[in-house]
Every structure is written in structure tokens, then in C-alpha cells.
Amino acid sequence: MKLKNIALFLVALLSMSLVSCDQENIGTEYNLKNQGVSFLFNAYKLQAPEADPVVVVPVVRGTTKGQATVNITATIKTDGITVNVPSTVTFQDGSAKAELPINLSTIPSGKKATVVLSLDENEVSEGSVKSTTLTLSILETWTQIGTGTYHYLYWWEDEYDKGLPLYRCDQNPNKYKIGSWGIGSELIFTMDNDGNIEVLESETGDEYSSYGAVYVMETASYTGETKYGVSYFEDGVYTFNLAYYVGAGAFDWGVWESFTLD
């Protein structure tokens, strides 16, 4: 267990396993005693591999009688990314569940798309989950290339994690991640051939009071300035210049931490 220099609260995660995709369900489950059409949850995180980039969103109803087609409205919240979502879903006679397939092949590797699905107000009832927010991405694959020791200096004060795995992305060889970082999370970064590093937004796996999830990012990316220094790789050591923050703002930036290869 890591000792922190700031009071923290652990994240409670809810997950369900699917055969064809990696899915995380978030929010309130629909009560099947209610009649009408509903999503099961009000938020999902869905991933699928490039070779089979289709995920499904379940839709339920409070009856199994008759075939019925329900209208779906999709609103894409991410600029520059197109996601093709069917405008209807059909329940077969005898079934209380239907599946809405979504193809993720238009989402670039390493990017995420946010899509809000809404049901027709005329086809739902009280208690229905009328809309759901999807976070969609192509599942990246990684190859372990080494292990090392991470030295925390801020959120976990002067602590060391030994034997953490270092991975390289198969789809993007300039992209790396340190596994088991923070509280069961991953520190994700890119590095060019000259050893210049940019830490991408990464979850620490922790929360701070009512402000929600705590993240890290390259200081220069967070502040928009390089005067605080930039991350780099030299002589087997990855040196990171991090900003620690929540949605409401930063705790601090210009935090220097390191990962030394074994």
C-alpha cells in the first residue's frame, strides 16, 4: 500500500466481461420491473481489436411480445472523428433484449470517441435509462520490452515501485506504457528517436475527495509552456516532468519523477 501526502479516496470500479470486446459499464442499472425500452447503463467504455472492430450496446424492454423497432439518436461529441451508428434497433418476438452493433473502424488507433445515444421519448417509460454515453476506442496491443523501478515524488511521497513492466505499442512503436503504475493504472507516454518524451493523460487510479479522478500529464502539455522543462530518456532512465490534476485544476506541475530500467 502506498502512503500519500494528500488525503485520497479509492475508485470503486464496476466491470462486466464480454466475449467480443472489452467493456466497462458505469452507472445505474435498468430495473426490469419497469415497462418500456431502456439502456442497461448510463455509460459504457467499449473497445474492440482492429481485426474485429465491432462492439454492441444492449437495449432492453419490459415485454417479450411482438417484434418492435426502436429509434436511436446518436450524437458524436468528439471533433474530427466519425462513428457510424445504426438509427434503429429491432426486438424480435419473444425477446426482451436487442443489440445495437457499432463499428469502430473509423476511430484512429490511440484516439477515443465519445458518443451519446438517446432513445425516442415515445418509446420509454418512467424508470428507463433514456440515454447512455459511450467512450469508444480501438483496442491497442502491447509487447513487454523490459522492467524497471519507478520513483514517485509527489502523490506518493518518495516511494519506489520495483519490477514494473514496460510495454511498447504494437500499432504505434513510439508509444509506451508502464504497467501497474499508481494504483493499478498505467503511465502512458510517447518517445521519439532522440529520446524526447511526452507523457499522455494517464489516470493515477486514485480520486481526490469530490473532485473525482486524479490524472497526470506532461507539464508542458498541461501548461502550454516548455519553460518548466520536458521529459526525456537518457542512460536507461526515463525522466518525467508531470502535472498532477483533477478536472477542476492542477495540484502542482513541474514534478520530476523517474523510471529506471533493470
Side-chain angles (χ1 to χ4, degrees):
M1 178 181 294
K2 298 182 175 65
L3 298 176
K4 311 172 188 63
N5 62 345
I6 296 178
L8 308 173
F9 293 86
L10 297 180
V11 180
L13 297 178
L14 170 65
S15 61
M16 298 177 65
S17 59
L18 293 181
V19 175
S20 61
C21 67
D22 181 17
Q23 171 174 314
E24 180 181 349
N25 310 308
I26 310 167
T28 305
E29 187 171 1
Y30 170 61
N31 184 349
L32 291 179
K33 294 180 181 179
N34 295 328
Q35 296 298 305
V37 180
S38 177
F39 294 111
L40 280 173
F41 296 89
N42 56 26
Y44 289 87
K45 290 182 180 179
L46 300 171
Q47 292 182 309
E50 285 184 317
D52 184 19
V54 178
V55 298
V56 294
V57 176
V59 185
V60 296
R61 61 175 177 170
T63 180
T64 60
K65 295 180 180 179
Q67 179 175 303
T69 298
V70 175
N71 295 318
I72 303 285
T73 301
T75 305
I76 300 174
K77 299 292 187 177
T78 306
D79 293 336
I81 296 180
T82 300
V83 182
N84 296 317
V85 180
S87 59
T88 61
V89 64
T90 299
F91 292 91
Q92 299 301 321
D93 185 25
S95 178
K97 180 181 178 181
E99 293 184 337
L100 180 73
I102 302 175
N103 194 308
L104 310 186
S105 61
T106 56
I107 302 176
S109 177
K111 301 293 184 179
K112 294 181 180 180
T114 300
V115 179
V116 176
L117 302 182
S118 301
L119 295 168
D120 191 324
E121 289 286 344
N122 296 321
E123 297 165 331
V124 299
S125 63
E126 184 178 356
S128 294
V129 180
K130 301 175 183 179
S131 67
T132 185
T133 300
L134 312 180
T135 302
L136 307 172
S137 60
I138 291 295
L139 182 64
E140 295 176 315
T141 57
W142 303 80
T143 299
Q144 184 172 342
I145 60 173
T147 59
T149 298
Y150 194 92
H151 187 193
Y152 302 92
L153 285 171
Y154 181 70
W155 201 251
W156 298 279
E157 187 174 3
D158 199 22
E159 289 203 18
Y160 292 85
D161 258 352
K162 297 181 179 180
L164 300 187
L166 176 66
Y167 299 92
R168 193 173 193 176
C169 182
D170 298 327
Q171 289 77 21
N172 181 359
N174 290 328
K175 190 174 184 179
Y176 300 79
K177 69 178 181 180
I178 300 171
S180 301
W181 182 86
I183 299 180
S185 194
E186 300 169 335
L187 183 68
I188 305 171
F189 60 96
T190 59
M191 183 175 70
D192 64 21
N193 294 332
D194 296 322
N196 300 307
I197 291 173
E198 179 183 2
V199 179
L200 306 180
E201 183 176 75
S202 304
E203 295 186 17
T204 65
D206 225 328
E207 287 191 347
Y208 181 68
S209 186
S210 61
Y211 291 98
V214 178
Y215 299 88
V216 294
M217 176 189 288
E218 182 75 25
T219 288
S221 300
Y222 187 85
T223 63
E225 298 179 292
T226 58
K227 66 181 181 180
Y228 302 102
V230 294
S231 302
Y232 62 93
F233 175 75
E234 187 176 32
D235 297 331
V237 179
Y238 297 86
T239 302
F240 303 113
N241 188 349
L242 302 177
Y244 277 84
Y245 62 97
V246 291
F251 295 102
D252 203 356
W253 57 75
V255 177
W256 292 96
E257 298 184 342
S258 64
F259 180 72
T260 303
L261 294 174
D262 293 333

